[in-house]
Amino acid sequence: QVQLVESGGGLVKPGGSLRLSCAASGFTFRDYYMIWIRQAPGRGLEWLSYISSGGSGMFYTDSVRGRFIISRDNVNKSLYLQMNSLRAEDTAVYYCARVEGRFSPKYMDVWGKGTTVTVSS
Amino acid sequence: EVVLTQSPGTLSLSPGERATLSCRASPSISSSSLAWYQQKPAQPPRLLIYDTSNRATGIPDRFSGSGSGTDFTLTISSLEPEDFAVYYCQQYGGSPRSFGQGTKLEIK
């Protein structure tokens, strides 16, 4: 079945780095935009970063631009998020999701269960 | 930048009642550029409605969406116990894409 499984979360010190992964299965991964969305404890959803189906187009929200890098491997059906210079405010559950929209990202119809990132000394 | 404002923040209703959740966009967006998600505790969001009024696969017909321009509505015709959750709207008519802050639907 269609599935997304995130991994790579954990506890990291401020200023540290972490790489999240998202393994996709059950659909043609290379046909879809993919996105990372995060949710801080007790807060709402934040549209973080997305990447086009071929990997050439990327977007970052202001709070992570210059610190996070999104990438994908269409052969191995995986999405990544390299997170550098982490701050306490990056503490959140990080979801990867499949995005509907052939030419631009629209809505998310498949979500992973999320991976938790905690930034604390 | 499109800002989505959801109201009310919390809605207290009983099973069997009708729920009406609002999402206001500023500035206005295309009438077919809004989605709704449901999120239960410790679970990822689930897509309910896309293109303002289309139900996602497997979503019961008690859920319906409507609206255009600046005002959008999610209606749950008769609440079931499993419907009590947090609901988010999300727009894709403007850049960057954005979510509303959520409406918590709680049991009265």
Side-chain angles (χ1 to χ4, degrees), chain A residues 47 50 59 104-106, chain B residues 1-4 25-34 69 72 90-99:
Chain A
W47 186 289
Y50 68 75
F59 166 87
S104 65
K106 293 187 176 182
Chain B
E1 181 178 341
V2 178
V3 176
L4 297 179
S26 178
S28 63
I29 59 174
S30 162
S31 60
S32 60
S33 299
L34 194 97
F72 298 85
Q90 177 240 322
Q91 65 82 22
Y92 41 96
S95 189
R97 311 307 194 221
S98 52
F99 290 98

Side-chain angles (χ1 to χ4, degrees), chain B residues 17-77:
Chain B
E17 290 193 290
R18 181 184 186 90
T20 303
L21 287 67
S22 173
C23 177
R24 178 159 291 180
S26 178
S28 63
I29 59 174
S30 162
S31 60
S32 60
S33 299
L34 194 97
W36 290 91
Y37 303 85
Q38 176 194 67
Q39 187 178 31
K40 297 179 181 179
Q43 292 186 21
R46 177 174 71 147
L47 177 68
L48 297 176
I49 300 287
Y50 64 94
D51 292 350
T52 299
S53 59
N54 294 311
R55 276 188 300 278
T57 303
I59 302 303
D61 60 8
R62 63 180 182 272
F63 291 91
S64 64
S66 63
S68 65
T70 59
D71 293 301
F72 298 85
T73 301
L74 175 69
T75 301
I76 311 171
S77 59

Side-chain angles (χ1 to χ4, degrees), chain A residues 2 7-8 11 18 33 51-53 59 64 73-75 78 83 85 93 100 103 109 113 119:
Chain A
V2 176
S7 60
L11 174 64
L18 214 52
Y33 278 77
I51 187 167
S52 61
S53 56
F59 166 87
V64 306
D73 180 346
N74 284 347
V75 173
S78 293
M83 304 188 295
S85 304
V93 176
E100 275 293 345
F103 302 110
D109 64 342
K113 293 188 188 311
V119 184

Side-chain angles (χ1 to χ4, degrees), chain A residues 43 57 90 95 103 109-110 115 120:
Chain A
R43 305 295 295 273
D90 296 317
Y95 296 104
F103 302 110
D109 64 342
V110 179
T115 187
S120 174

Side-chain angles (χ1 to χ4, degrees), chain A residues 2 16-19 22 24 27 31 37 39 47-48 56 61 68 73 78-80 85-87 97 102 109-110:
Chain A
V2 176
S17 298
L18 214 52
R19 190 191 197 209
C22 173
F27 67 98
D31 285 350
I37 289 166
Q39 187 169 35
W47 186 289
L48 204 61
S56 61
T61 195
F68 291 10
D73 180 346
S78 293
L79 176 72
Y80 305 101
S85 304
L86 283 161
R87 307 166 180 167
R102 191 169 183 84
D109 64 342
V110 179

